[in-house]
Amino acid sequence: MTRWNLSISEKTDRLVRSHLARIGMKKGDLSKFVDTAVRKEILRRTVLEVQAQNADLSEEKAMALANEA
């Protein structure tokens, strides 16, 4: 496991901790929350990159490539 030292605005800190409290998570769950959020953001950006790279593909060509894979 790796340890991160981050600087977060007080406003963001309050928002996150309030959210965690509302959904029943405790202080120790902050790391899990951040890990999940970072993974989701990486996936979102990866999807956007792939979509941009394939924006000019026709639906037929995309399906052919998918079937080939």
Side-chain angles (χ1 to χ4, degrees):
M1 180 126 344
T2 301
R3 185 172 290 276
W4 287 2
N5 293 319
L6 304 171
S7 297
I8 305 296
S9 73
E10 287 184 31
K11 181 179 179 181
T12 300
D13 181 59
R14 283 191 309 272
L15 287 169
V16 170
R17 291 182 189 277
S18 295
H19 174 72
L20 294 178
R22 276 194 312 274
I23 63 173
M25 296 179 85
K26 296 181 172 68
K27 182 179 177 181
D29 294 326
L30 179 59
S31 293
K32 293 176 193 170
F33 180 81
V34 171
D35 185 69
T36 300
V38 169
R39 289 173 181 269
K40 285 181 180 180
E41 181 60 16
I42 290 171
L43 176 60
R44 186 187 73 81
R45 289 181 184 212
T46 300
V47 167
L48 290 174
E49 287 174 16
V50 170
Q51 288 174 333
Q53 290 171 0
N54 296 314
D56 59 341
L57 278 182
S58 68
E59 184 177 341
E60 294 80 19
K61 180 67 175 172
M63 290 302 295
L65 290 171
N67 290 333
E68 184 179 309

